[in-house]
Amino acid sequence: MKRYYSHQGKDIFITSGSTKELAAGVFGVCAIGGGAEGWSVVHMGPDGDAADLGGEYYFATYEEALTFVKELIDLMVV
């Protein structure tokens, strides 16, 4: 599964859990345990390293994680 969204010019991808396919500078919403264990939010750095933006906090649905990413982007743009 890989879905694409854009919010205020920032790319957001929803993936099945792997960050390997994500390019530098994009945000990812990644399934944990196929989504059964939750969803995490990451940002891919310029060197291709994934930074976990939720820390220990995971989301029950990808929609909740996507909303969180959009709120983060809104804070960055202001």
Side-chain angles (χ1 to χ4, degrees):
M1 173 171 102
K2 186 174 178 185
R3 295 183 186 174
Y4 169 77
Y5 295 87
S6 181
H7 183 71
Q8 294 204 30
K10 304 291 183 183
D11 296 327
I12 307 166
F13 289 91
I14 298 177
T15 74
S16 60
S18 175
T19 59
K20 292 179 183 180
E21 297 177 6
L22 299 179
V26 304
F27 291 89
V29 174
C30 302
I32 303 169
E37 297 175 40
W39 296 82
S40 66
V41 174
V42 299
H43 181 263
M44 297 303 290
D47 295 328
D49 297 327
D52 187 353
L53 301 179
E56 297 294 317
Y57 185 70
Y58 299 109
F59 301 88
T61 66
Y62 81 87
E63 293 94 346
E64 291 173 354
L66 184 60
T67 298
F68 178 76
V69 172
K70 289 178 178 180
E71 290 172 1
L72 284 177
I73 291 169
D74 288 343
L75 290 172
M76 291 172 34
V77 174
V78 172

